[in-house]
Amino acid sequence: MSKFDIMETTVAKVHEAYLSGELTCRELCEAYIDRINAYDHKGPAINSIICLNPKALEEADAFDAYVKEHHALMGPLHGIPVMLKDNFNTTDMPTTAGSVALEGWVPDTDAFVTARLRKAGALILAKTNLHEFAIWGETISSVLGASVNPYDPTRTPGGSSGGTGASIACNIGIIGLGTDTINSVRSPSSANSLVGIRPTIGMISRAGIVPYSLTQDTAGPICRTVEDAVRCLDVIAGYDPDDAETAWSVGRREESYMSHLKIDGMKGARIGVLESLFGKEEINRSTNEVVRNAMKVFEENGATLVPVTDNIDQPWLTSEVSVHLDDFKHDLDGYLATLPKDWPVHSMADILASGKFHPFSEGNMRDAMKLDVGTPRYLEKMYNKIGVRTHVLKIMADLNLDAMIYPHQQQLVCKLGANQQQRNGVLCSSTGFPSIAVPAGFAPDENAPIGVPVGMEIIGRPWSEGRLIEIAYSFEQHSHFRKPPVSAPDLRK
């Protein structure tokens, strides 16, 4: 390996090193594979990788040959190792969605996002663990078992995209991809001191992603920096005829959001503080202290914080607005129906009958079997959804706000074997509004050498990604709260 320092590296640094000859893609991939061997099943045993790309080094050699011949890069993510959640279709690796019911299933076509990544020159290094079928927040699958938080081995890494979050936090790969139906990009970002972007519904195609709730599903980047998350967003966003919802992005989505990486992006901003999404119990104290301290960064750098006292009730949003479980059977069955005729399962009912699932998943699937789209109860939730969208926009209009902030979770990410509680991501997932989760600091804990990561969420109006990126990037550059876990140090030292 060259002397190139892979720890906390970025797309820009890697590309500079490729072009100067300081680093090859093969060397970078070998370094990440070494870290997988050292830290995924050994060391902290984060257990984040379902499948390593068997042709990773062969693909890396092709990227290196291109640079050697052309003295140029073939795309905006040329030779950048990607950790891809294992519910994105890939034609060269199985797509299991974390379920043994799909073990060995290799799709005929890539997901739209997968194809966009490849076209941009990205190298998909591995498929990562997720909560089975992405249905909850603890990252436990029947294919791999439970992933572990590298900052605190007694805790989950969040979910459902926890395998992506844990690996990116451990400096395995540069770009991470997750999906988000309720919290699932922002939860592992919050739990692993990372940046996660949940874009406006319709910005990114869901075609070729194993669905949970097509009313609320989207994909998004999970990265160590805002800049790398934006580079990824630019690549994967766009209109796709195979996902009608993306028609809403035409004329609204910017071709690139890189111009919004402004170090003074929060200056003059009016940022609401959603007080009702801060917990009021003793268990919430450490999270509240971290986020309240992080909020000082806004005021110290030219932003105005505005208290928002409207009662945005997280439990009510989860039970009365979010349709994640109502959609689940209908939408998953639609995907499973496309599997080959000789495949053993073609519906959720088939999966339950087969017994091919993790026991942790059974309750959610059986609850989903009792629900369906189009029922009076479903329509009531969809009606509530319209009201919440208007209510949030009215708050922002009345107070002249650019964005609003709150802790992503009101309490620390849960212990292994427990269920996630008091997560606030449902506000954006139930409305379809965009948000960015950013590191806010660490809460002390006896099992976490540097503390348990705490994330802050920044929500905006639909299609306001540019403004959110300005605020998030400026916050990041003035705070530098991100720290890697001490459990996965540089192997060369």
Side-chain angles (χ1 to χ4, degrees):
M1 174 81 183
S2 71
K3 294 181 179 179
F4 183 84
D5 185 4
I6 70 166
M7 299 300 288
E8 301 293 286
T9 195
T10 64
V11 172
K13 289 177 181 177
V14 167
H15 279 171
E16 183 180 358
Y18 283 169
L19 292 171
S20 71
E22 181 187 0
L23 178 71
T24 66
C25 186
R26 172 177 271 267
E27 289 173 330
L28 183 61
C29 288
E30 286 177 337
Y32 285 141
I33 292 170
D34 287 345
R35 292 183 67 76
I36 290 171
N37 291 333
Y39 299 131
D40 198 60
H41 295 294
K42 304 173 188 175
I46 60 172
N47 202 37
S48 67
I49 310 298
I50 286 180
C51 175
L52 184 66
N53 181 354
K55 294 184 177 180
L57 296 182
E58 182 182 325
E59 292 177 22
D61 288 341
F63 286 119
D64 291 335
Y66 185 93
V67 172
K68 188 174 182 179
E69 179 180 353
H70 298 281
H71 306 289
L73 304 173
M74 65 171 62
L77 295 181
H78 172 106
I80 297 299
V82 170
M83 308 303 285
L84 188 66
K85 186 177 183 180
D86 197 23
N87 58 349
F88 290 83
N89 282 1
T90 47
T91 56
D92 52 354
M93 286 175 273
T95 298
T96 70
S99 175
V100 291
L102 294 181
E103 201 163 25
W105 158 240
V106 180
D108 294 330
T109 57
D110 280 333
F112 178 89
V113 167
T114 308
R116 279 290 181 103
L117 290 167
R118 295 195 204 275
K119 185 177 179 182
L123 189 157
I124 298 170
L125 182 62
K127 303 291 287 293
T128 58
N129 200 25
L130 64 155
H131 203 102
E132 191 163 20
F133 291 115
I135 60 174
W136 221 248
E138 297 81 25
T139 306
I140 303 172
S141 72
S142 57
V143 169
L144 197 65
S147 294
V148 173
N149 192 306
Y151 293 89
D152 179 347
T154 69
R155 296 180 187 271
T156 175
S160 62
S161 312
T164 299
S167 58
I168 292 293
C170 286
N171 281 274
I172 297 170
I174 298 176
I175 297 290
L177 262 296
T179 57
D180 191 310
T181 304
I182 315 174
N183 299 275
S184 296
V185 160
R186 295 152 297 153
S187 170
S189 298
S190 172
N192 291 280
S193 194
L194 298 170
V195 175
I197 300 178
R198 179 190 164 95
T200 307
I201 284 284
M203 180 174 283
I204 296 174
S205 171
R206 289 82 49 87
I209 299 174
V210 182
Y212 178 3
S213 161
L214 289 172
T215 307
Q216 296 175 193
D217 284 350
T218 188
I222 299 172
C223 299
R224 291 183 292 270
T225 68
V226 174
E227 180 177 323
D228 281 352
V230 173
R231 289 182 185 275
C232 179
L233 182 67
D234 277 358
V235 164
I236 63 175
Y239 174 64
D240 176 13
D242 291 332
D243 183 353
E245 199 70 26
T246 59
W248 286 93
S249 71
V250 176
R252 292 180 171 90
R253 178 184 63 86
E254 297 181 32
E255 286 303 310
S256 174
Y257 289 95
M258 291 295 289
S259 64
H260 292 283
L261 298 173
K262 300 177 180 179
I263 196 159
D264 62 349
M266 71 173 86
K267 190 174 182 180
R270 286 177 57 82
I271 298 172
V273 180
L274 264 176
E275 296 292 347
S276 65
L277 293 185
F278 286 74
K280 308 301 188 290
E281 305 164 37
E282 177 60 25
I283 198 170
N284 310 123
R285 182 173 58 82
S286 61
T287 299
N288 289 347
E289 287 177 356
V290 170
V291 175
R292 297 286 184 192
N293 181 65
M295 284 162 48
K296 296 174 185 175
V297 176
F298 290 111
E299 294 184 308
E300 291 167 356
N301 292 280
T304 300
L305 295 180
V306 182
V308 177
T309 57
D310 294 62
N311 183 31
I312 302 294
D313 185 73
Q314 176 262 330
W316 184 82
L317 290 172
T318 302
S319 65
E320 302 300 322
V321 182
S322 182
V323 293
H324 53 284
L325 277 182
D326 307 75
D327 282 340
F328 185 27
K329 174 177 67 71
H330 176 273
D331 292 347
L332 180 62
D333 282 1
Y335 178 92
L336 296 174
T338 68
L339 270 58
K341 289 183 179 180
D342 59 353
W343 196 263
V345 299
H346 290 94
S347 67
M348 186 181 292
D350 289 347
I351 292 170
L352 285 167
S354 73
K356 293 182 176 181
F357 53 83
H358 194 284
F360 210 73
S361 305
E362 183 174 6
N364 286 318
M365 286 197 286
R366 293 205 181 278
D367 286 344
M369 288 294 292
K370 303 170 189 174
L371 303 170
D372 208 345
V373 303
T375 65
R377 176 71 172 133
Y378 184 85
L379 297 176
E380 179 184 12
K381 291 183 180 182
M382 294 296 284
Y383 179 79
N384 291 341
K385 192 181 295 284
I386 296 169
V388 173
R389 286 171 59 90
T390 301
H391 183 203
V392 173
L393 287 177
K394 187 175 188 303
I395 291 170
M396 296 187 71
D398 287 346
L399 298 176
N400 191 26
L401 301 177
D402 294 278
M404 294 191 290
I405 57 172
Y406 44 88
H408 171 71
Q409 343 201 143
Q410 295 175 29
Q411 58 180 264
L412 298 182
V413 65
C414 73
K415 296 282 188 175
L416 292 168
N419 289 108
Q420 291 271 58
Q421 302 292 330
Q422 295 185 305
R423 295 193 295 169
N424 290 326
V426 67
L427 176 58
C428 283
S429 54
S430 63
T431 58
F433 289 8
S435 71
I436 302 180
V438 292
F442 296 81
D445 184 88
E446 61 182 2
N447 298 302
I450 62 172
V452 178
V454 173
M456 180 174 65
E457 199 165 339
I458 310 170
I459 176 179
R461 297 175 176 85
W463 311 107
S464 68
E465 279 80 359
R467 189 69 181 108
L468 292 181
I469 288 164
E470 290 174 0
I471 293 167
Y473 180 75
S474 181
F475 176 84
E476 172 196 61
Q477 295 301 302
H478 288 291
S479 64
H480 299 289
F481 286 129
R482 157 75 191 166
K483 293 179 184 177
V486 298
S487 65
D490 191 338
L491 288 171
R492 300 174 301 175
K493 294 180 180 178

